[in-house]
Amino acid sequence: MHQQTLCEAIKDRKNVSVLYDDDYVPRIFSPYIVFTSSRDNVLVAGYQVLNPAELTESNEWRQLDLGKIRSVTPTENNFTPDVSFDPFSKRYGNRVICHVKQNIQ
């Protein structure tokens, strides 16, 4: 459901506003990769820029289950991918749906 929106945001390097699970205030998230877990859940991983409900959870790498995302809206703000991000890491296996591309200099 939200997979296409997230993949477009990843391609465009746009932060997204996400209502997740029982959130009552949206969190801001920089999506890097959408993949299928070993348990067949579709997840998005990236940096949680801001979580107003839990300020100590801001600026952290997070994985969110797409099945628990209630809404996702791209923002106007772009993000710059961390150069250490590796979409070919074993943690994602061969189950990557889409991922952010690094700049080629």
Side-chain angles (χ1 to χ4, degrees):
M1 175 197 262
H2 302 296
Q3 181 177 308
Q4 182 176 352
T5 302
L6 286 164
C7 285
E8 288 173 10
I10 288 170
K11 180 178 75 66
D12 296 338
R13 297 180 177 186
K14 293 285 186 187
N15 285 332
V16 292
S17 174
V18 175
L19 272 175
Y20 187 70
D21 203 18
D22 59 356
D23 286 352
Y24 56 92
V25 178
R27 44 182 96 188
I28 304 300
F29 193 77
S30 299
Y32 275 55
I33 189 167
V34 175
F35 66 102
T36 304
S37 74
S38 58
R39 294 187 174 134
D40 290 328
N41 295 333
V42 178
L43 306 175
V44 59
Y47 280 100
Q48 182 166 272
V49 177
L50 177 67
N51 182 357
E54 294 288 341
L55 293 176
T56 59
E57 293 182 2
S58 297
N59 296 313
E60 290 185 342
W61 186 260
R62 304 286 294 207
Q63 291 184 164
L64 305 177
D65 186 325
L66 266 64
K68 294 183 179 181
I69 293 177
R70 296 188 352 249
S71 73
V72 59
T73 306
T75 70
E76 292 300 315
N77 299 323
N78 290 77
F79 67 91
T80 301
D82 185 324
V83 295
S84 66
F85 171 68
D86 180 8
F88 305 107
S89 168
K90 290 180 188 177
R91 80 175 71 177
Y92 309 118
N94 293 323
R95 304 178 114 193
V96 174
I97 297 167
C98 62
H99 67 84
V100 69
K101 308 283 193 258
Q102 297 291 353
N103 286 338
I104 298 175
Q105 302 292 331

